[in-house]
Amino acid sequence: DSGVTQTPKHLITATGQRVTLRCSPRSGDLSVYWYQQSLDQGLQFLIQYYNGEERAKGNILERFSAQQFPDLHSELNLSSLELGDSALYFCASSVAGGQAFFGQGTRLTVV
Amino acid sequence: GQNIDQPTEMTATEGAIVQINCTYQTSGFNGLFWYQQHAGEAPTFLSYNVLDGLEEKGRFSSFLSRSKGYSYLLLKELQMKDSASYLCAASNTGGFKTIFGAGTRLFVKA
């Protein structure tokens, strides 16, 4: 158990819908990262927050947004979903730029 | 800029040795991580190098050369269960972030 909790584990939704993925980092970790991993692909960095502030942005679509709340949990919002958004979405946390601990991921299926 | 390069795929034979290379470019570099990821699962930590040289941990060893921006992961006595993706990641504490490569998919054949 990495200490990072992601909910839900599985999500099936229709095209055009909006979903929210939730991540609770390890206790004491201030950095939260979101990654997308499509089938048989590598990790694609989406966005990073540090202590509530956006720190880095990767290839995140405009339809996607995220935030980190005062209690340090984070949410990734995906809207106007398309079939191609089907993927595993991982959250990871670290103290700062150190070892990242990954949650078990949310498997999103868009039908 | 910030960039990490590693081979996309490698194939090796059970019982053999394989070396997975990684080159990185990042400002404020602090250290280099290696993670293992089995299909459909979360990446798990393997090693972390801060200083130049080889760190050995059982069948797995990791090497770092900070001056060359280069690291490798060495896997000995390969087992079928070692078939997985291996992710190289550079730690940048100045920017408070860890940057991951796309991963090297290793296939171990009998």
Side-chain angles (χ1 to χ4, degrees):
Chain A
D1 182 7
S2 67
V4 179
T5 304
Q6 287 187 249
T7 56
K9 289 185 180 171
H10 301 276
L11 196 51
I12 301 175
T13 190
T15 54
Q17 295 299 303
R18 172 190 169 95
V19 297
T20 297
L21 312 184
R22 195 177 193 278
C23 171
S24 294
R26 285 190 330 150
S27 177
D29 284 357
L30 299 178
S31 271
V32 170
Y33 310 79
W34 285 98
Y35 295 88
Q36 179 192 55
Q37 189 171 41
S38 301
L39 190 63
D40 294 334
Q41 300 296 311
L43 284 176
Q44 295 294 319
F45 170 65
L46 294 178
I47 198 163
Q48 181 215 355
Y49 283 84
Y50 177 81
N51 202 20
E53 292 187 6
E54 183 184 303
R55 270 285 179 171
K57 222 171 194 177
N59 298 323
I60 186 167
L61 300 172
E62 286 191 11
R63 300 184 285 109
F64 295 1
S65 65
Q67 53 183 327
Q68 185 180 28
F69 294 87
D71 67 352
L72 300 178
H73 92 271
S74 178
E75 292 181 356
L76 179 67
N77 300 296
L78 315 176
S79 62
S80 302
L81 284 168
E82 302 175 359
L83 295 177
D85 298 327
S86 295
L88 259 174
Y89 290 83
F90 285 108
C91 168
S93 74
S94 67
V95 173
Q99 180 182 343
F101 294 83
F102 284 80
Q104 289 304 304
T106 293
R107 183 174 294 281
L108 173 67
T109 303
V110 182
V111 297
Chain B
Q2 298 173 92
N3 195 43
I4 294 185
D5 287 313
Q6 50 181 133
T8 305
E9 284 187 4
M10 298 182 72
T11 300
T13 305
E14 193 176 17
I17 299 174
V18 70
Q19 177 174 312
I20 302 174
N21 297 323
C22 168
T23 58
Y24 62 88
Q25 286 179 300
T26 179
S27 56
F29 174 78
N30 190 64
L32 197 290
F33 293 96
W34 284 96
Y35 286 80
Q36 180 191 60
Q37 185 184 24
H38 286 100
E41 298 181 9
T44 54
F45 170 80
L46 286 178
S47 66
Y48 180 50
N49 292 64
V50 176
L51 302 176
D52 284 0
L54 188 67
E55 297 269 349
E56 298 188 67
K57 194 186 290 186
R59 294 189 299 113
F60 292 4
S61 303
S62 55
F63 171 84
L64 177 66
S65 168
R66 296 175 72 108
S67 61
K68 294 181 180 177
Y70 167 69
S71 173
Y72 67 72
L73 180 69
L74 193 71
L75 294 77
K76 303 176 188 174
E77 301 168 18
L78 280 172
Q79 302 175 9
M80 300 298 286
K81 67 177 182 180
D82 297 330
S83 293
S85 288
Y86 292 87
L87 309 172
C88 171
S91 170
N92 176 341
T93 53
F96 301 93
K97 53 192 170 189
T98 302
I99 305 154
F100 280 83
T104 297
R105 186 180 297 186
L106 175 66
F107 297 95
V108 179
K109 57 182 184 178

